[in-house]
Amino acid sequence: MIDKPHDYCGIFGIYDHDDAALLSYYGLHALQHRGQESAGIVTTYFDEKKNRHSMPMHKDFGLVLSVYDDPKIFENELKGRSAIGHNRYSTSGSSKNPANIQPFRVHYRNGNLAIGHNGNLSNARTLRERFRDEGVLFQSTSDTELILHLISHSREENQMDQIMDALSQIEGAYCLVILTDDKLIAVRDPNGFRPLALGMIDGSYTVASETCAFDIIGAKYIRDVEPGEVVIIDREASDKQEPKSLRLEPKAGTNSSQCIFEYVYFSRPDSKIFGEMVDKIRRNLGKQLAKEHPLNEVVKSSTEDRRPIVISVPDSSNTAAIGYAHENQKAGFDCKYDIGLIRNHYVGRTFISPGQKSREQKVRTKFNTVKGVIEGRPVIIVDDSIVRGTTSRYLVDMIRDANPLEIHFLVSSPPITHPCFYGMDFPSPEELIANKFDRDVEAIAKEIGVDSLRYLSADGLVAAVKEANDSPLDYCTACFTGKYPVPVDFGVEKEENEIV
């Protein structure tokens, strides 16, 4: 509903805990922002009556709170001391297919296996065509199913060897949680596109897409799962408090490629990803934005009684706006960070107002202006990104109705010009406003109705992130620069091969 890119999924896992399913529920709730169309949890336990391992599962369309609104799910259904969970966002063509809801669970010659996936396999079409030629039947349109087929078709005898064999054949961006009858396995692709963290609670290991999932359950963050690392948590690792690790090698000629957009927009500000707090990075983006576009070069009619105000588009740009305002104040420019837009947090993704289905009305159900803050003042709107520009236009119209003196729009990232093939859902290139107007910033400013528009430069974005995070690893900026760090099969169709 709001004109932003979508991340595809959030994943969570926990090994050997009395409340494995319940903690997974809370973890998924904290990761709800990463996927809001469906949720699922799988647990594992040894069924003494049947004398075999069992993997109960509960998943459905909807938010975590609605999918698990019956306490009996945890009391009677999701038994077991180990679990994995998944929040999903999908492409529109496959969002109504229940077969695509994760985690996926199978039973094959080596026992039970369940998997949750965040990312996108860039060689999925090639793998799918290979399996089709071999007569394999598919139950879903998700590329996650390909990983299960690779495991089950492996000629290796040992289950862990089968999993490693499968992982050696996939390419692209992926973080995985894999649950077997006796193991929890966490995997991060060799380029490290997506974040994945390792934590501990009550002596039990847990993994999650973001550390905010640890905070909600009181778990302690230990470290990030490293790019190319396969973390194996079993009884021996649990007893020794030392998980085993195996390694995947990156594709020749590629380097680490952590998604920089995780810092710009996707991750929660209270999470620690790629070794640094998101809030700290976003403040630094705001500071860099102030260095490139200081207040005195933006506002034209500031006076003592018409002090410029800096406002954010809540909630993802809040800390960048604070950083921009503080850096300008530090430089001696008179401005104030204030709350000019109020977000309604009680509007669901599927909300449609009675008798009105327009995008403008949908935006108005999400946001409202604080007219007393805006009226008669120069207003600097700080947002994290502009995609199609439609929501930006409606927001500007709302702010214009509050009678500001000027409206300036500053973006804490560069223009988005290219699609993502590593686990984000962007519109097609021709729908991106930066492409539509051939990167003409003045034309884009006119289209969204502001007095001026300014973006953070691509070099400034990387510099700001690296200044705040001294990690030696590199970042992927493909959506801004078109430089894809890992080869992509550009013929892939989202409808046929759903990204998760």
Side-chain angles (χ1 to χ4, degrees):
M1 185 165 66
I2 298 303
D3 186 22
K4 292 290 184 183
H6 293 283
D7 193 19
Y8 280 109
C9 291
I11 56 177
F12 182 90
I14 186 165
Y15 182 82
D16 192 28
H17 194 285
D18 287 339
D19 297 317
L22 188 61
L23 293 178
S24 297
Y25 161 77
Y26 286 122
L28 291 183
H29 180 64
L31 298 171
Q32 188 73 85
H33 59 289
R34 299 189 73 90
Q36 301 179 30
E37 290 189 357
S38 64
I41 296 173
V42 174
T43 61
T44 183
Y45 73 101
F46 186 79
D47 190 332
E48 294 184 355
K49 291 182 179 180
K50 297 180 180 180
N51 195 34
R52 61 178 173 83
H53 285 91
S54 180
M55 272 194 177
M57 176 172 64
H58 186 94
K59 58 184 183 179
D60 203 348
F61 292 110
L63 301 178
V64 174
L65 292 178
S66 62
V67 173
Y68 300 97
D69 59 350
D70 185 354
K72 292 181 181 179
I73 295 172
F74 302 100
E75 296 169 3
N76 305 325
E77 187 176 347
L78 293 176
K79 302 176 183 179
R81 295 179 58 85
S82 298
I84 61 171
H86 187 273
N87 284 334
R88 172 173 167 267
Y89 169 80
S90 73
T91 56
S92 58
S94 51
S95 62
K96 296 181 180 180
N97 184 354
N100 287 326
I101 302 176
Q102 295 192 39
F104 290 167
R105 177 193 59 183
V106 296
H107 180 80
Y108 77 121
R109 68 185 187 276
N110 283 63
N112 296 298
L113 190 71
I115 186 170
H117 173 204
N118 172 34
N120 179 31
L121 304 186
S122 56
N123 65 334
R125 187 174 69 162
T126 301
L127 293 172
R128 187 176 291 274
E129 289 176 351
R130 189 186 97 189
F131 281 126
R132 279 176 178 163
D133 291 342
E134 295 174 0
V136 172
L137 299 177
F138 294 97
Q139 302 297 317
S140 73
T141 60
S142 170
D143 58 1
T144 309
E145 186 179 355
L146 297 170
I147 303 173
L148 293 176
H149 286 304
L150 288 169
I151 294 171
S152 65
H153 283 68
S154 173
R155 295 178 180 271
E156 300 290 342
E157 291 297 324
N158 178 272
Q159 188 181 53
M160 197 62 229
D161 292 337
Q162 294 166 356
I163 292 171
M164 292 302 294
D165 182 28
L167 295 176
S168 70
Q169 299 178 65
I170 61 176
E171 300 172 3
Y174 56 88
C175 282
L176 308 173
V177 283
I178 301 173
L179 188 65
T180 72
D181 290 330
D182 60 354
K183 295 180 181 65
L184 171 64
I185 302 162
V187 186
R188 191 171 169 207
D189 72 77
N191 296 89
F193 282 100
R194 300 282 137 218
L196 191 62
L198 179 68
M200 180 168 282
I201 176 173
D202 302 329
S204 298
Y205 283 104
T206 180
V207 293
S209 294
E210 297 179 34
T211 60
C212 60
F214 297 160
D215 296 335
I216 196 173
I217 63 174
K220 178 183 178 182
Y221 165 76
I222 298 175
R223 63 175 177 86
D224 283 0
V225 176
E226 297 176 3
E229 186 178 13
V230 180
V231 178
I232 306 166
I233 303 167
D234 56 14
R235 174 57 57 196
E236 181 183 353
S238 182
D239 291 342
K240 292 182 178 180
Q241 298 286 279
E242 187 178 349
K244 305 171 187 177
S245 285
L246 300 176
R247 292 286 170 176
L248 301 170
E249 293 300 321
K251 191 176 181 67
T254 66
N255 299 313
S256 58
S257 310
Q258 299 175 135
C259 174
I260 207 164
F261 213 85
E262 288 279 356
Y263 279 137
V264 172
Y265 172 69
F266 283 137
S267 297
R268 274 179 37 167
D270 53 331
S271 286
K272 186 174 187 177
I273 66 164
F274 305 147
E276 190 54 78
M277 292 299 299
V278 176
D279 174 83
K280 179 181 177 181
I281 298 292
R282 288 187 184 160
R283 287 175 188 266
N284 222 44
L285 296 181
K287 292 177 182 179
Q288 182 65 27
L289 192 62
K291 293 173 183 176
E292 294 186 9
H293 306 291
L295 190 71
N296 64 326
E297 295 181 6
V298 175
V299 175
K300 304 302 179 184
S301 54
S302 175
T303 62
E304 186 173 343
D305 61 340
R306 292 180 173 181
R307 187 182 184 190
I309 61 164
V310 177
I311 68 172
S312 65
V313 179
D315 293 311
S316 55
S317 62
N318 290 353
T319 46
I322 292 172
Y324 180 81
H326 285 181
E327 187 67 17
N328 275 292
Q329 292 166 355
K330 183 179 176 181
F333 301 125
D334 187 22
C335 68
K336 176 187 178 184
Y337 172 77
D338 214 328
I339 298 173
L341 285 170
I342 300 296
R343 181 183 173 189
N344 181 357
H345 291 269
Y346 303 99
V347 178
R349 286 170 54 86
T350 57
F351 179 88
I352 299 176
S353 59
Q356 173 59 272
K357 297 182 181 180
S358 72
R359 287 185 178 182
E360 180 178 5
Q361 186 62 36
K362 289 179 181 180
V363 172
R364 289 183 179 274
T365 64
K366 277 280 188 179
F367 299 104
N368 196 23
T369 57
V370 183
K371 295 182 179 179
V373 171
I374 293 170
E375 188 173 11
R377 295 180 180 276
V379 175
I380 299 98
I381 307 169
V382 175
D383 203 358
D384 49 76
S385 58
I386 301 178
V387 183
R388 292 184 180 91
T390 50
T391 296
S392 301
R393 174 74 204 200
Y394 297 142
L395 285 173
V396 169
D397 287 344
M398 290 171 60
I399 293 170
R400 188 74 72 183
D401 289 342
N403 298 317
L405 193 62
E406 306 170 10
I407 301 179
H408 305 277
F409 207 107
L410 275 67
V411 186
S412 61
S413 63
I416 297 173
T417 54
H418 292 75
C420 175
F421 296 92
Y422 306 128
M424 294 192 299
D425 183 21
F426 282 118
S428 59
E430 57 271 17
E431 292 180 276
L432 297 171
I433 194 170
N435 287 338
K436 182 179 179 181
F437 291 95
D438 197 25
R439 302 193 188 192
D440 185 334
V441 176
E442 290 186 5
I444 300 172
K446 184 177 180 180
E447 176 68 13
I448 66 174
V450 294
D451 296 302
S452 72
L453 170 67
R454 290 167 170 82
Y455 288 93
L456 185 63
S457 67
D459 289 342
L461 171 65
V462 175
V465 171
K466 289 193 171 183
E467 180 184 346
N469 184 357
D470 58 2
S471 168
L473 301 179
D474 292 327
Y475 295 91
C476 175
T477 60
C479 56
F480 306 120
T481 63
K483 297 177 181 178
Y484 294 97
V486 173
V488 172
D489 184 351
F490 290 98
V492 66
E493 294 292 338
K494 287 184 180 179
E495 296 291 335
E496 296 181 1
N497 177 55
E498 181 195 359
I499 308 169
V500 297

